[in-house]
Amino acid sequence: MEWKMAREPLMTLATDCLVVLHTQGGESLKGCAREADEALDHRISQLVTEGEVTGRYKEAVLVHNWGKIPAKRLLVLGLGKEEKLTLDRFRNAVAVAARKARGAGVKQLTFGCAKHLNRRWNAADFVQALVEGVELGLYRYRGWKSQDETTDAKTLETVWLSLEEVSNPAYEAGVERGRVFAAATNTARDLANKPANILTPSTLAERASEIADRQGLNVEILEEERLKELNMSALLAVSEASAEPARMIVLSYEGAPESQEVLGLVGKGVTFDSGGIQVKPSRGMEQMKGDMAGAAAVLGAMEAIGSLRPHCNVTAVIPACENMINGNGFRPGDVIRSFSGKTIEIHHTDAEGRLILADGLAYARRLGATSLVDVATLTGAVIVALGHTATGVMANDSEWSAEVKEAARHAGEKVWELPMYEEYEEYIRSEVADMKNEGGSPAGTIQGGMFLKQFVEETPWTHLDIAGTADGQKEDGIHLRGATGAGVRTLTQLALRFGGK
């Protein structure tokens, strides 16, 4: 898709479709919408009066132009009540408009954005949100159908932006970041949508190497022999019952060689999770191909970091494996020794993600990470607590947690922090090992966080449980059914903040 800036008067543009913005509850049309209304002899005002155009949030109404303007179509996009308008709501509304236009066969789309809206925010952030809305909203996972029902016949080719009082540098910065953030998120979506027979741990490692080569990152893939030498026993225990060998994937970006500070990103890469010997229910198990969405988020973020080149150092660690079932698999009651040296009593084989992350977090520290974030589809309990709207956050350092949450807010990803009181540690206490990996149903999400906390020592660390946000339940704004790429934009924004860019 090509992005262009339009400097000509809006009503002179010969475009397939012109999008103007309208807020709900206002006394009259404003800015570009008012300009279009006047060119159309106030027919939009008439539709407002008749209740066909309300400005309701995400309302997208195609209007005939009656030959009054060069644009072939006009789309009035509702932004909801102006006092509720945020960049995130704007981004999601834009996604709806883009899909509506594509469905109508539009090839060339133009957004008219008046100064009274783009003045609300930093101009580059405003442009970035608009670009992300289009690029994320138009994502399609094509899969392996022999005949693609979506077809390429309906593909948006060019987007023009007619922006009042936005400088060229702000426009260029916004477009660049928007396209990079969206492309990285779509990379993560593609990875998490792939079936487990195609995306194995080894294939995931190959995709990571491709991203590293494309973006100029350093890459190291630890295979099973090396994992055994390093005593990565927690990762290997989970992988033992699978015919697919485990991998530890390491990507690194050095953007500030003079600095000792290193941002460590760790992603859970279980490419299929049967639950182990304590097998999951059969209903919905096909969705367990997405249990590597944390790994996908980290890979997407590293792709974006490689493109944007922030002034910071980043190390990404992805433990990758399958959790399957055979006579070699780990069992409840087993005790394993992790890479850190700490011992773990197994109480549930479906609490496997925290086991591989234990080795991943400890290894990231070994590699020099001074601040850590891990991303994982860790617990079903987080869906009970927060539904599919917000990612669960747990941390051992309030300042670092605040930094991660601010990055999420800026990126437009909703998060909510859960407490990490010492009393919760009783759920993971073991009589025969340093800890156990599961302690029953109470505080299930927090249990996962308390477990992981044991492997970061004093390093500032934040855990993102994306089990509820990694998979879209319905088409809504920038999200479609299937993988969402949750966490990519937060991690990318965090790296930019980490580097002061």
Side-chain angles (χ1 to χ4, degrees), residues 151-165:
T151 73
D152 287 327
K154 291 186 176 181
T155 301
L156 193 57
E157 297 174 352
T158 307
V159 181
W160 289 84
L161 301 183
S162 177
L163 306 171
E164 297 182 21
E165 298 185 355

Side-chain angles (χ1 to χ4, degrees), residues 38 69 78 98 115 174 180 224 271 299 341 344 373 413 415 430 471:
E38 291 172 353
I69 58 176
K115 59 188 175 185
V180 168
E224 280 202 330
T271 59
L299 286 178
I344 305 165
V373 180
E413 295 194 296
V415 300
S430 168
D471 188 66

Side-chain angles (χ1 to χ4, degrees), residues 180-484:
V180 168
F181 275 57
T185 302
N186 289 338
T187 290
R189 286 168 156 178
D190 280 342
L191 289 169
N193 277 327
K194 289 187 184 301
N197 64 320
I198 292 174
L199 190 75
T200 65
S202 298
T203 309
L204 185 63
E206 291 172 5
R207 298 291 84 78
S209 295
E210 291 170 4
I211 289 171
D213 290 344
R214 191 164 60 246
Q215 300 299 340
L217 309 174
N218 298 316
V219 60
E220 182 180 15
I221 308 298
L222 307 183
E223 299 188 356
E224 280 202 330
E225 183 176 347
R226 180 58 176 153
L227 295 177
K228 291 175 182 178
E229 291 174 358
L230 290 169
N231 297 316
M232 296 273 186
S233 300
L235 170 58
L236 290 169
V238 176
S239 177
E240 191 67 35
S242 173
E244 295 290 340
R247 295 287 185 265
M248 185 72 86
I249 302 164
V250 181
L251 300 180
S252 58
Y253 164 77
E254 189 177 37
E258 76 287 355
S259 174
Q260 299 300 310
E261 296 295 311
V262 179
L263 173 60
L265 306 179
V266 181
K268 174 186 171 184
V270 178
T271 59
F272 189 80
D273 180 18
S274 70
I277 195 171
Q278 288 163 290
V279 65
K280 291 177 178 291
S282 59
R283 184 178 295 276
M285 195 187 285
E286 72 281 354
Q287 297 176 11
M288 289 301 102
K289 65 181 182 180
D291 209 19
M292 40 62 66
V298 169
L299 286 178
M302 292 303 291
E303 180 177 71
I305 290 164
S307 292
L308 295 172
R309 316 301 294 181
H311 185 73
C312 66
N313 304 313
V314 186
T315 294
V317 175
I318 297 171
C321 67
E322 291 182 336
N323 185 21
M324 299 296 285
I325 307 167
N326 72 13
N328 296 324
F330 69 135
R331 297 149 295 204
D334 286 358
V335 175
I336 59 176
R337 185 177 298 276
S338 67
F339 171 71
S340 70
K342 295 179 178 179
T343 56
I344 305 165
E345 180 188 6
I346 304 303
H347 262 229
H348 207 298
T349 60
D350 195 25
E352 86 298 331
R354 64 200 69 183
L355 297 175
I356 72 171
L357 287 172
D359 280 355
L361 287 165
Y363 194 58
R365 291 184 67 250
R366 168 78 68 86
L367 295 176
T370 56
S371 298
L372 285 165
V373 180
D374 77 79
V375 191
T377 49
L378 204 70
T379 67
V382 78
I383 303 174
V384 177
L386 301 175
H388 296 280
T389 299
T391 289
V393 174
M394 285 140 278
N396 68 347
D397 183 281
S398 59
E399 290 186 8
W400 180 235
S401 171
E403 186 70 14
V404 175
K405 288 189 291 184
E406 179 59 21
R409 185 200 65 78
H410 197 95
E413 295 194 296
K414 294 178 175 64
V415 300
W416 191 260
E417 188 162 6
L418 299 172
M420 295 281 280
Y421 301 132
E422 289 183 8
E423 288 82 352
Y424 289 117
E425 289 186 1
E426 69 177 271
Y427 291 111
I428 62 169
R429 288 180 187 147
S430 168
E431 295 183 0
V432 298
D434 294 327
M435 70 199 80
K436 60 186 178 183
N437 75 326
E438 192 264 350
S441 59
T445 299
I446 297 171
Q447 282 187 40
M450 295 303 293
F451 180 89
L452 296 176
K453 181 183 175 184
Q454 313 307 311
F455 299 91
V456 299
E457 304 297 340
E458 300 303 316
T459 306
W461 155 82
T462 298
H463 164 56
L464 301 178
D465 191 335
I466 61 170
T469 53
D471 188 66
Q473 304 300 298
K474 60 182 179 179
E475 183 179 288
D476 184 26
I478 63 172
H479 298 303
L480 308 175
R481 287 182 61 84
T484 64

Side-chain angles (χ1 to χ4, degrees), residues 54-264:
T54 68
R56 188 177 63 251
Y57 182 45
K58 299 179 187 174
E59 176 186 74
V61 180
L62 279 169
V63 178
H64 294 291
N65 64 15
W66 295 279
K68 300 286 185 178
I69 58 176
K72 295 178 182 178
R73 301 174 183 87
L74 183 75
L75 190 151
V76 184
L77 175 62
L79 300 180
K81 295 181 178 179
E82 191 160 350
E83 62 269 22
K84 289 187 175 182
L85 186 57
T86 63
L87 274 181
D88 188 41
R89 286 171 70 86
F90 176 68
R91 181 187 294 111
N92 281 284
V94 165
V96 171
R99 281 198 296 273
K100 180 86 170 183
R102 182 179 65 186
V106 169
K107 300 289 187 184
Q108 187 181 76
L109 184 64
T110 301
F111 282 89
C113 301
K115 59 188 175 185
H116 81 280
L117 285 177
N118 59 45
R119 278 178 177 173
R120 295 169 64 102
W121 305 285
N122 173 281
D125 291 344
F126 176 74
V127 174
Q128 179 179 343
L130 196 157
V131 172
E132 288 176 353
V134 173
E135 300 268 4
L136 294 173
L138 293 180
Y139 171 80
R140 289 189 289 204
Y141 179 63
R142 300 186 182 280
W144 280 266
K145 288 189 176 184
S146 56
Q147 186 172 6
D148 187 0
E149 295 175 355
T150 62
T151 73
D152 287 327
K154 291 186 176 181
T155 301
L156 193 57
E157 297 174 352
T158 307
V159 181
W160 289 84
L161 301 183
S162 177
L163 306 171
E164 297 182 21
E165 298 185 355
V166 173
S167 66
N168 281 333
Y171 163 79
E172 291 168 1
V175 169
E176 179 193 21
R177 289 193 182 187
R179 297 190 73 176
V180 168
F181 275 57
T185 302
N186 289 338
T187 290
R189 286 168 156 178
D190 280 342
L191 289 169
N193 277 327
K194 289 187 184 301
N197 64 320
I198 292 174
L199 190 75
T200 65
S202 298
T203 309
L204 185 63
E206 291 172 5
R207 298 291 84 78
S209 295
E210 291 170 4
I211 289 171
D213 290 344
R214 191 164 60 246
Q215 300 299 340
L217 309 174
N218 298 316
V219 60
E220 182 180 15
I221 308 298
L222 307 183
E223 299 188 356
E224 280 202 330
E225 183 176 347
R226 180 58 176 153
L227 295 177
K228 291 175 182 178
E229 291 174 358
L230 290 169
N231 297 316
M232 296 273 186
S233 300
L235 170 58
L236 290 169
V238 176
S239 177
E240 191 67 35
S242 173
E244 295 290 340
R247 295 287 185 265
M248 185 72 86
I249 302 164
V250 181
L251 300 180
S252 58
Y253 164 77
E254 189 177 37
E258 76 287 355
S259 174
Q260 299 300 310
E261 296 295 311
V262 179
L263 173 60

